[in-house]
Amino acid sequence: MAYQNILVPVDGSETAYAAVAKAVEFAKAFGSKVTVVQVLALDPYIAAEYISANQTNDLIERARTAIVDSLAAAKAKFNEQGLDVETKLLEGQVIHREIVQAAEDSHADLIIIGSHGRTGLKKMFLGSVAQSVLGESHIPVLIVRE
């Protein structure tokens, strides 16, 4: 099966870069288009004015700047391998749902996502975005551990 459109969610971590490295392999092997996304998680209490009145919020703007930098770093890793990718900053309250929606909107036929491999109490308290994406997506998901 050839994957023509791959979505790669990142978060600036080494685990995300492991997923980027795997996506590079797939993109080269299949000549795939790659879209790299990162989600700006909007807490409804902090972001209420930002969402409803389109006002600025210093905390949100700093987070946005950090995400833009993270996306640029991921894009650079693809560019180093001779691949051009599209990047998108997504906004929403539930990270995994934004990722699944972005995959559907971009007609992705594969999601390659890193997992920190948390287990036990850490997984219960911190959750797993990769696990949630896997559970909600009808698109195939490749989970990469660093």
Side-chain angles (χ1 to χ4, degrees), residues 42-58 60-61 93:
L42 297 173
D43 180 286
Y45 297 107
I46 294 173
E49 293 85 24
Y50 173 79
I51 294 169
S52 63
N54 210 15
Q55 295 179 356
T56 61
N57 176 305
D58 188 49
I60 292 171
E61 292 309 316
Q93 294 178 3

Side-chain angles (χ1 to χ4, degrees), residues 82-101:
L83 298 169
D84 191 34
V85 299
E86 180 181 358
T87 60
K88 290 184 181 177
L89 185 153
L90 308 173
E91 294 182 3
Q93 294 178 3
V94 183
I95 294 171
H96 72 273
R97 289 198 182 123
E98 295 302 323
I99 292 168
V100 171
Q101 187 63 53

Side-chain angles (χ1 to χ4, degrees), residues 130-142:
Q131 185 68 36
S132 298
V133 168
L134 181 63
E136 285 200 19
S137 178
H138 67 278
I139 298 164
V141 178
L142 175 63

Side-chain angles (χ1 to χ4, degrees), residues 10-120:
V10 297
D11 63 4
S13 69
E14 289 304 313
T15 302
Y17 291 135
V20 165
K22 185 59 71 176
V24 165
E25 290 178 33
F26 273 70
K28 284 184 169 184
F30 297 110
S32 309
K33 174 185 178 223
V34 177
T35 304
V36 180
V37 299
Q38 188 165 348
V39 180
L40 172 59
L42 297 173
D43 180 286
Y45 297 107
I46 294 173
E49 293 85 24
Y50 173 79
I51 294 169
S52 63
N54 210 15
Q55 295 179 356
T56 61
N57 176 305
D58 188 49
L59 182 62
I60 292 171
E61 292 309 316
R62 284 186 299 189
R64 179 185 302 284
T65 299
I67 289 173
V68 168
D69 292 345
S70 174
L71 287 168
K75 183 174 185 164
K77 292 198 178 289
F78 282 97
N79 292 161
E80 289 168 4
Q81 298 297 318
L83 298 169
D84 191 34
V85 299
E86 180 181 358
T87 60
K88 290 184 181 177
L89 185 153
L90 308 173
E91 294 182 3
Q93 294 178 3
V94 183
I95 294 171
H96 72 273
R97 289 198 182 123
E98 295 302 323
I99 292 168
V100 171
Q101 187 63 53
E104 291 172 1
D105 291 347
S106 67
H107 306 289
D109 45 18
L110 179 64
I111 300 170
I112 300 179
I113 187 170
S115 174
H116 296 279
R118 293 185 184 107
T119 59

